[in-house]
Amino acid sequence: VPQQPDAAGKAEKDDKNPPSYLYRLVAPETLPNTVLCVIGILGVVAAGFTLKAMKEQAGLMQLQLELSQRPWVSVTRLPQALQFNASGAILGCVYKLENVGGSVAWNISIWADLVPEGKDWRPTLDRLQGVMKDAKNEKSDYGYVLFPKESMKQPQPAILRRQDLDEAIKSDVISGTGKVGFKLVGCIDYRSHVSTKHYQTTFVDLIGYADNARGGLPMGAFDPNVQVY
């Protein structure tokens, strides 16, 4: 059928300038589908946020359950005598361990070292925390067992090797005195049926003594020439 001149011109113009993509999205004949598509996308996004929130909530509930059921081993340090000999410096110490948690703690082990003043204690603590996590010790059944509300006392020395002691003396941290200060650095490692991970209680204590010649004044500088404090 022949087209009227105006109609033919309009059709040719429309072919050369088709509607924009945005216009086609909001055109009356496509608008309902566009709205449904947008609603669908928003629904998927909302579902993603909901799933993430559910996972976070489940993780939080699992953590709360673990915290309420796991053992908690506290440790009180009771230092005894500090001795200097050919091997270095040796601090006798009794550790009072108590399970204040809700389940049995097993494979409880004590790891402690002396660190001289002026030396960073953090590498020592990192090393002690890694002892029972090492692959060769992972399946070890070494250690003690404590039931909830049960406590025990366990003596164990902390040692600074002669070589490290000599280096501390040479560093002369307590200027011109030839004396050395110490920190007791340690870790209590234990396991539980609640989780496969290692639970740990760590501590860093400054060692001192009461100087009776000065009315019991607390002192933190030790003379290596004195055999026993």
Side-chain angles (χ1 to χ4, degrees):
V1 178
Q3 296 183 352
Q4 296 291 333
D6 291 344
K10 184 176 183 301
E12 183 178 351
K13 184 178 180 181
D14 290 342
D15 290 339
K16 292 181 179 179
N17 298 289
S20 66
Y21 184 72
L22 179 60
Y23 175 81
R24 282 179 283 173
L25 285 177
V26 298
E29 62 273 15
T30 59
L31 184 58
N33 291 333
T34 301
V35 172
L36 290 175
C37 181
V38 171
I39 292 174
I41 293 173
L42 292 176
V44 171
V45 173
F49 280 110
T50 301
L51 181 60
K52 181 180 179 181
M54 290 175 63
K55 289 183 177 180
E56 292 177 350
Q57 182 66 22
L60 182 59
M61 292 176 63
Q62 178 63 34
L63 177 60
Q64 291 176 336
L65 179 63
E66 178 183 344
L67 293 177
S68 65
Q69 293 187 353
R70 59 159 284 189
W72 294 85
V73 176
S74 66
V75 55
T76 302
R77 283 77 69 198
L78 305 171
Q80 309 298 302
L82 175 66
Q83 302 180 49
F84 293 98
N85 56 32
S87 299
I90 304 174
L91 175 69
C93 190
V94 174
Y95 299 88
K96 181 183 178 182
L97 306 174
E98 183 177 4
N99 184 358
V100 297
S103 59
V104 179
W106 37 274
N107 289 5
I108 304 172
S109 55
I110 304 169
W111 306 94
D113 271 343
L114 280 180
V115 177
E117 280 296 312
K119 185 176 181 180
D120 188 359
W121 52 266
R122 285 168 292 192
T124 297
L125 182 59
D126 289 342
R127 174 175 55 81
L128 296 176
Q129 287 185 278
V131 172
M132 294 307 295
K133 295 179 181 179
D134 190 281
K136 64 183 179 182
N137 296 325
E138 187 64 30
K139 296 183 179 180
S140 172
D141 59 356
Y142 170 78
Y144 315 105
V145 176
L146 279 178
F147 289 86
K149 310 306 178 185
E150 188 177 26
S151 65
M152 65 178 294
K153 289 183 179 181
Q154 183 65 32
Q156 183 165 310
I159 300 172
L160 181 68
R161 298 179 308 168
R162 185 77 231 183
Q163 178 182 352
D164 297 327
L165 176 60
D166 289 341
E167 290 179 0
I169 295 172
K170 290 179 182 178
S171 66
D172 195 24
V173 174
I174 305 175
S175 301
T177 65
K179 296 181 179 181
V180 184
F182 299 99
K183 286 186 175 69
L184 175 64
V185 179
C187 170
I188 309 300
D189 186 283
Y190 55 103
R191 307 294 295 272
S192 167
H193 74 280
V194 175
S195 173
T196 58
K197 65 185 178 183
H198 288 257
Y199 294 116
Q200 294 183 332
T201 303
T202 60
F203 53 88
V204 179
D205 298 330
L206 184 63
I207 302 302
Y209 66 97
D211 189 346
N212 294 326
R214 300 185 180 184
L217 184 68
M219 303 293 290
F222 297 85
D223 185 350
N225 296 313
V226 178
Q227 291 188 344
V228 181
Y229 279 90

